[in-house]
Amino acid sequence: MDQRELYLKQLEEKWEHLTITNDIMFGMVMENEQICLELIQRSLPELNIKAISRITPQKQITGPISARTVRFDVFVRDEEKRTFVVEMQVADKHNLPFRLRYYQQQIDFDILNVGDDYSKLAQYPTYVIMFCDFDYFGRGWSKYQFENRCVVDPKLKLGDQRQITIFNAKASQFHGNMKLKGFLKLMGNQIDADDQLVKQVRTEMKRIREDPIRRHGFMKYELDLMDARNDGFKDGQKMGSINTLKELGFNKQQIIDELIKTYEISNKEATELVNKTND
C-alpha cells in the first residue's frame, strides 16, 4: 500500500468517526437552520430569538492586510441584525480570553465600513458562543457569561452591545434552567436519548456521513491538500481545490477565503485564481 492509499484509508476512518466536536462536522450540522436556531435559542434563551436569516459556516473575516485572520465555525444573523458567532473549541491553548477579545474585534470589521459612524454598531449587537471541551476557568460551571461592566458598581453596564458565553462540556454543575446539558454531554459522546436537540443533531450527523457528495468532497479536498503540500503548492493543486469547493457549493467569496487560509496567499492572488476558473 503506497502513501496515497494509506492516507485515503485514514481519511475514510476519520470521516466515519467525526463527532460533533470536530469543527468540520459541527459546521455542516449547523447548516441545518432548525438545529442552528434551536442551539442558539437554548444557549441564549433570554434573547427570545424567533428566526435566523443568514448562516455562514467557516466564515473568514477580512481585516487589515497585515492583521491575523480568523475563521469562525458558524456566523449567524437574526431578524433583528444581531450577530452570533458559534465556535467549537476542543484544545485548551491557554489563551481563550485573548482569542475571544480578537474575535469580537473581527466581527466588527464585518459591520463597520470606511466612513461609518461608530454608533452604527448599536444596531448590530454581537454574541460569541463558545462550546469548550474543557473548563478554562476551573469553577465546574456549565455556563460562563461575560459583558463589560463598571468595576466599582457592577450594576452599571458599559452598553457596548457585546456578550460572550462559554459553555463547559466537562461541567459538574448545571443550572436549573440549563437546556444544553444534553448537547454538552454529546460532546463527550454521552447520549441523552430523551433530548430532542440531541436526536436532531445525531440524525443530521448520520445523514451527512451517508451523503456521498459530502463524503467525496471531504476526501477529495483532503487529498488535494496533501498533494499541494507534497508538490510545493503548485497552482494546479490550488485550481483542483477551487473545483472541489465549487462542487461542495461554496460561493466565490467563500472559496477565496478558503484559499487564503489554506495556502497562505494574498487576497489578490486567490481572487485571480478563482477568476481563472470562470474564464
Side-chain angles (χ1 to χ4, degrees), residues 62-73:
T62 303
I65 193 168
S66 61
R68 174 172 179 165
T69 58
V70 297
R71 187 173 66 174
F72 301 126
D73 289 342

Side-chain angles (χ1 to χ4, degrees), residues 52-167:
I52 47 180
S53 58
R54 170 181 160 193
I55 303 175
T56 309
Q58 304 299 319
K59 180 178 176 63
Q60 183 164 307
I61 302 293
T62 303
I65 193 168
S66 61
R68 174 172 179 165
T69 58
V70 297
R71 187 173 66 174
F72 301 126
D73 289 342
V74 184
F75 186 95
V76 180
R77 286 235 169 93
D78 75 351
E79 56 189 4
E80 297 183 24
K81 297 183 179 180
R82 294 178 292 199
T83 299
F84 303 89
V85 165
V86 190
E87 286 281 308
M88 180 66 67
Q89 189 72 25
V90 176
D92 184 0
K93 298 183 178 180
H94 309 288
N95 62 3
L96 189 62
F98 309 106
R99 174 188 291 268
L100 290 165
R101 168 179 161 180
Y102 195 66
Y103 276 10
Q104 288 194 316
Q105 180 191 40
Q106 293 289 312
I107 296 170
D108 288 344
F109 278 134
D110 192 61
I111 299 172
L112 209 60
N113 299 312
V114 175
D116 286 344
D117 189 273
Y118 292 118
S119 61
K120 177 182 177 181
L121 295 176
Q123 304 170 40
Y124 294 85
T126 63
Y127 301 84
V128 178
I129 303 170
M130 182 78 74
F131 290 97
C132 293
D133 198 26
F134 54 89
D135 186 357
Y136 185 87
F137 300 99
R139 298 288 186 93
W141 302 349
S142 58
K143 177 179 180 179
Y144 300 91
Q145 200 160 49
F146 303 92
E147 60 184 21
N148 287 323
R149 294 174 180 262
C150 175
V151 174
V152 177
D153 181 5
K155 293 182 181 180
L156 177 60
K157 299 180 181 180
L158 181 62
D160 59 355
Q161 304 274 35
R162 297 187 301 169
Q163 187 181 92
I164 292 173
T165 304
I166 301 169
F167 290 99

Side-chain angles (χ1 to χ4, degrees), residues 4 18 57 72 78 113 128 157 181 202 225 236 246 253:
R4 188 178 182 84
L18 288 182
F72 301 126
D78 75 351
N113 299 312
V128 178
K157 299 180 181 180
K181 182 176 181 179
R202 294 186 71 206
L225 290 182
K246 283 184 176 181
Q253 189 56 54

Side-chain angles (χ1 to χ4, degrees), residues 3-4 7 221-231:
Q3 182 182 1
R4 188 178 182 84
Y7 187 59
Y221 187 56
E222 290 288 337
L223 285 171
D224 284 343
L225 290 182
M226 183 188 75
D227 290 341
R229 295 186 189 103
N230 292 340
D231 295 342

Side-chain angles (χ1 to χ4, degrees), residues 11 19 28 53 85 136 145 147 175 213 235 252 256 265:
L11 286 178
T19 69
M28 288 189 290
S53 58
V85 165
Y136 185 87
Q145 200 160 49
E147 60 184 21
H175 300 81
I213 296 176
D235 278 355
K252 180 178 179 180
I256 290 171
I265 58 179

